[in-house]
Amino acid sequence: MTIRNLLNAALLGLVGVAGLTGCDVPLQDYYELRGLDPLKGVAYDPGPQVFYTTSLVGGEIEMVTSLGRQYLFHRIDDPQITLHGAALDAARRRLWVCAVDRDDIASPGHGWLLGFDVEERRLEVRVDLRELHQGEVTETACEAVDVADDGVVYAVDPSQPVVYRYDPGANRGSILARDDAFAPTGAGGRGLGGVAVHPGGEHLIVARTDPPALFVIPLDEPHAAREVSFADDPLGRPGDPRFPAAGGLTFVGEDLYVVFLGAVQRVRFTDAEGLRTARVATTTAVPSGLAMATSADGAAYALDGDAFKVEVLGQRAEVPFSLVRVDPSVFAD
């Protein structure tokens, strides 16, 4: 363990996660993040006003306070593990993280859903996603995750056309939905890349990366997924290098934010009941290394960690990384 990790552990042992900030501090518009390893996932804890970021390599989860201070939350000492999307269950004090285990870059992936006790900073739950297929597949992955108000966790797999469901109360995982429309397209393609529980609690929204598309899954009829239609501008911009694939999703109120490499699109559904149609607004006034976003104190914060550049495009990460507030005023309707 490094000197920094020892200091972090000592500090957190004394104050705990909830004691990292003593009072409400307005979130900054921009946080510069230290570190050299590309970052993939982000989640927000509204009580102590703490962001969690996950590292694509190195197995680290870090915390970023509202003042911009960074602390190590947890490290998985396994060089084969990559960490992806994250979501916080604030009511139950549990952080959910997607992970993938690979022997090498050419081997099939092995997807996991990991649950951490936030206060103890301890890994408590490991869900083997391959087991949910009952031996039908050899490759699984876990790209993004979200949590419903009842504590049920949903995760998406970019290598298989499925959405996973895990009920912590029953300690039971299952495949919520399977649909060929979720599948990767073309050689080396990636399927689902984002997931978000609608604020109404009755629907799940998932994003296919390429070609970009959104699907609505009624939770009471999960096999009846349907693609969202856009009235004017489409989701994504074909041929624009800032829009190579749709990534993470997050709701801020009723507005859905869809993250691309160098852009964010705001989706507003035009039929509140069925969520079948929507309009999109776009901003490119964001950094060029985005992958995921989270809702924090009534705003969307996007993570610029260059994970997509490294993982998919094979490019080098460019530091420093950052967390940036996506101001609603920057969208071109």
Side-chain angles (χ1 to χ4, degrees):
M1 182 178 286
T2 66
I3 294 296
R4 177 171 73 89
N5 295 341
L6 287 170
L7 291 173
N8 284 340
L11 174 63
L12 289 171
L14 288 172
V15 303
V17 172
L20 288 175
T21 55
C23 58
D24 288 340
V25 177
L27 294 181
Q28 302 170 20
D29 291 341
Y30 176 87
Y31 293 96
E32 184 174 306
L33 306 179
R34 65 166 181 253
L36 301 176
D37 294 329
L39 304 175
K40 184 66 176 284
V42 61
Y44 181 67
D45 190 346
Q49 295 180 289
V50 169
F51 293 95
Y52 296 87
T53 64
T54 65
S55 176
L56 186 64
V57 297
E60 287 192 351
I61 304 171
E62 290 215 340
M63 296 181 294
V64 184
T65 73
S66 57
L67 297 174
R69 297 168 182 158
Q70 284 182 246
Y71 303 96
L72 179 67
F73 172 77
H74 190 93
R75 173 186 286 122
I76 300 174
D77 289 315
D78 185 342
Q80 298 174 181
I81 291 287
T82 61
L83 300 182
H84 299 258
L88 186 90
D89 185 345
R92 297 162 187 83
R93 311 306 298 150
R94 185 166 282 171
L95 177 70
W96 293 98
V97 175
C98 277
V100 179
D101 184 356
R102 282 189 177 88
D103 292 334
D104 56 67
I105 195 169
S107 65
H110 189 169
W112 295 84
L113 180 62
L114 307 178
F116 296 85
D117 182 294
V118 169
E119 303 305 333
E120 298 295 330
R121 297 179 291 122
R122 180 179 64 241
L123 177 58
E124 287 191 325
V125 182
R126 298 176 179 85
V127 183
D128 185 342
L129 300 181
R130 188 182 297 175
E131 290 185 353
L132 304 186
H133 290 268
Q134 300 180 341
E136 296 176 357
V137 301
T138 58
E139 180 175 9
T140 56
C142 187
E143 183 73 2
V145 59
D146 200 12
V147 186
D149 288 343
D150 61 2
V152 173
V153 185
Y154 301 94
V156 293
D157 189 332
S159 65
Q160 302 292 335
V162 299
V163 179
Y164 301 107
R165 181 186 187 273
Y166 176 70
D167 183 348
N171 188 25
R172 182 177 182 273
S174 61
I175 293 176
L176 173 76
R178 184 192 304 268
D179 196 309
D180 288 342
F182 303 158
T185 57
R190 297 165 62 83
L192 297 178
V195 59
V197 180
H198 186 269
E202 298 179 354
H203 299 87
L204 196 68
I205 314 297
V206 297
R208 187 181 64 204
T209 59
D210 186 25
L214 295 180
F215 297 88
V216 176
I217 302 174
L219 291 177
D220 62 352
E221 195 178 359
H223 299 293
R226 52 185 177 269
E227 186 173 349
V228 177
S229 298
F230 291 89
D232 300 315
D233 294 333
L235 190 71
R237 289 181 179 173
D240 190 324
R242 295 169 296 186
F243 296 79
L249 305 177
T250 191
F251 273 101
V252 179
E254 295 287 332
D255 289 343
L256 179 67
Y257 288 73
V258 184
V259 177
F260 293 81
L261 180 64
V264 177
Q265 290 191 314
R266 185 192 64 204
V267 173
R268 287 181 171 169
F269 292 96
T270 53
D271 61 324
E273 293 297 324
L275 307 179
R276 296 175 181 272
T277 60
R279 295 183 183 275
V280 66
T282 302
T283 180
T284 56
V286 291
S288 61
L290 305 184
M292 300 278 180
T294 188
S295 175
D297 292 1
Y301 277 79
L303 177 65
D304 172 28
D306 276 1
F308 187 88
K309 288 182 181 179
V310 173
E311 184 182 21
V312 180
L313 302 181
Q315 300 175 1
R316 283 190 173 187
E318 298 180 14
V319 295
F321 305 131
S322 62
L323 271 168
V324 295
R325 182 178 185 270
V326 184
D327 195 311
S329 67
V330 300
F331 286 99
D333 291 294

